[in-house]
Amino acid sequence: MTDCISLTRDNILLSRPTNDGLKGVEAAETFIRASISDSTRKAYRSDLAHFSAWGGDLPATPDMVARYLAEHADTLAPASLARRVATLSKVHAANDWPNPSQSEMVRATMRGIKRVKGTAQDQAKPLLREDLFLILDAMGDDPRALRDRALLLIGWASGFRCSELTGLDLADVEEVREGLTLHLRRSKTDQAGQGRKIGIPLGRTRHCPVAALHAWRGVLALSDGPIFRPVDRHGNALSSRLRGDSVSTILRSRLTATGVAPEGYSGHSLRAGLATSAIKAGVPTYKVRAQTGHVSDAMLSRYVRDGEMFEGNAAGALL
């Protein structure tokens, strides 16, 4: 395999020129490397390692990529295969090689796989407003419960991704007359780090996200560092940051304690629950996008479809 991409080093997607000592080239590589998130680089390396272990080589031919897809059609989901094709396309484009991913052979192979295997993906169940309230009503007031209440309410009200939620620091919270302003420094769709502000209004029900976060901050009694942290068995908040995947664990645990089957729910259920519940309540899609950070109505389409499933339902008008 050509040394265009290192599967062992944290490298970039450009083949290195013969004169490695050029400062201009090194500077350019630094900026190109910074343009790709750590998670994206990790995904690229994983995809290429799998392709290489199968016997693939770079630059690849359309026939090679098509055979790779066909041989893994029974073991990998169509979405996973599509990501492998996108990775190979990125590598070839970055190195100015003929791009096999754009060939009709590869495109036809992917169309055939999608047609035979289907493209429907399992989506996290949305945690709707009513189910969120059931969870919160069943919770106590110990330190762990105060953290979980704030985590679930802020996560739901903000529409944040799990990594965005657990990435919040105390310094990112600004108290305003209407509630709170959360400063999101960086997100999945904001790799340039421009940031954006999200408003968390004072609640009008018994479960106010502002009050919940205030109660948890009272437990922390700190002014800096991560907001959401692990809590030990003695009720002490630790100094480390809660991991993003912990949101799923906490939500499923609280669902189980409420008597709701946790299957199908994940940390994304908070974000999906806000979007779906807001659409059901008649909130305009542009307002939902302003909260969740979705870039277009097309990205919200599945929530709109779920939220409006029973609005003007044809069967409802007849039965």
Side-chain angles (χ1 to χ4, degrees):
M1 181 178 289
T2 314
D3 189 29
C4 65
I5 293 187
S6 169
L7 298 179
T8 58
R9 299 195 310 272
D10 189 18
N11 214 328
I12 57 173
L13 295 181
L14 289 180
S15 53
R16 184 176 293 276
T18 55
N19 185 358
D20 286 354
L22 291 175
K23 292 184 178 180
V25 172
E26 292 178 352
E29 290 189 349
T30 298
F31 287 123
I32 294 172
R33 185 160 43 242
S35 73
I36 304 171
S37 69
D38 291 339
S39 59
T40 300
R41 279 199 298 274
K42 183 178 179 180
Y44 285 157
R45 287 197 296 269
S46 174
D47 291 346
L48 290 170
H50 189 268
F51 182 70
S52 177
W54 169 78
D57 199 4
L58 294 178
T61 63
D63 176 71
M64 181 184 297
V65 176
R67 285 190 290 109
Y68 170 75
L69 295 173
E71 292 185 20
H72 292 91
D74 289 332
T75 57
L76 293 176
S80 297
L81 292 175
R83 196 189 79 178
R84 308 293 168 90
V85 172
T87 295
L88 290 170
S89 178
K90 182 74 172 180
V91 174
H92 285 76
N95 287 279
D96 292 325
W97 293 331
N99 195 337
S101 302
Q102 296 179 353
S103 70
E104 181 57 28
M105 177 181 290
V106 172
R107 290 177 173 177
T109 302
M110 275 305 305
R111 286 197 300 268
I113 290 173
K114 290 178 179 179
R115 189 167 186 175
V116 172
K117 301 295 181 179
T119 57
Q121 292 179 290
D122 292 334
Q123 301 289 343
K125 289 183 179 179
L127 184 71
L128 300 180
R129 176 178 179 271
E130 296 77 9
D131 298 321
L132 173 65
F133 281 15
L134 284 176
I135 295 174
L136 298 172
D137 286 339
M139 293 171 61
D141 57 1
D142 57 279
R144 190 184 299 273
L146 291 178
R147 180 206 62 187
D148 291 356
R149 179 178 286 106
L151 179 78
L152 296 177
L153 275 168
I154 294 296
W156 200 91
S158 65
F160 282 170
R161 299 174 179 87
C162 294
S163 59
E164 297 167 351
L165 179 61
T166 57
L168 285 172
D169 289 333
L170 290 163
D172 296 331
V173 180
E174 178 185 356
E175 295 190 14
V176 294
R177 182 169 51 189
E178 298 87 350
L180 299 173
T181 298
L182 301 181
H183 296 255
L184 185 59
R185 307 296 178 182
R186 186 182 294 271
S187 68
K188 177 181 176 181
T189 56
D190 178 28
Q191 295 300 325
Q194 294 181 347
R196 62 188 182 96
K197 295 181 180 181
I198 299 297
I200 304 296
L202 291 165
R204 297 181 298 173
T205 70
R206 63 188 181 279
H207 296 302
C208 172
V210 177
L213 185 58
H214 187 268
W216 169 238
R217 292 183 69 175
V219 173
L220 293 177
L222 296 169
S223 59
D224 59 8
I227 295 178
F228 298 112
R229 311 165 181 233
V231 175
D232 65 20
R233 59 191 180 92
H234 302 294
N236 300 312
L238 305 183
S239 60
S240 57
R241 185 182 302 277
L242 201 65
R243 291 174 29 162
D245 55 8
S246 298
V247 180
S248 295
T249 302
I250 291 170
L251 174 58
R252 289 169 183 157
S253 175
R254 292 297 178 180
L255 282 165
T256 301
T258 309
V260 177
E263 287 77 19
Y265 289 96
S266 70
H268 186 74
S269 296
L270 300 176
R271 178 174 165 85
L274 169 71
T276 305
S277 297
I279 294 297
K280 289 181 66 175
V283 178
T285 55
Y286 77 92
K287 283 291 187 180
V288 178
R289 287 194 287 109
Q291 196 77 355
T292 63
H294 286 95
V295 297
S296 68
D297 281 356
M299 301 297 292
L300 274 179
S301 60
R302 68 176 179 270
Y303 304 123
V304 174
R305 187 167 55 249
D306 291 346
E308 296 180 344
M309 188 178 300
F310 292 97
E311 294 295 326
N313 186 281
L318 302 172
L319 296 177

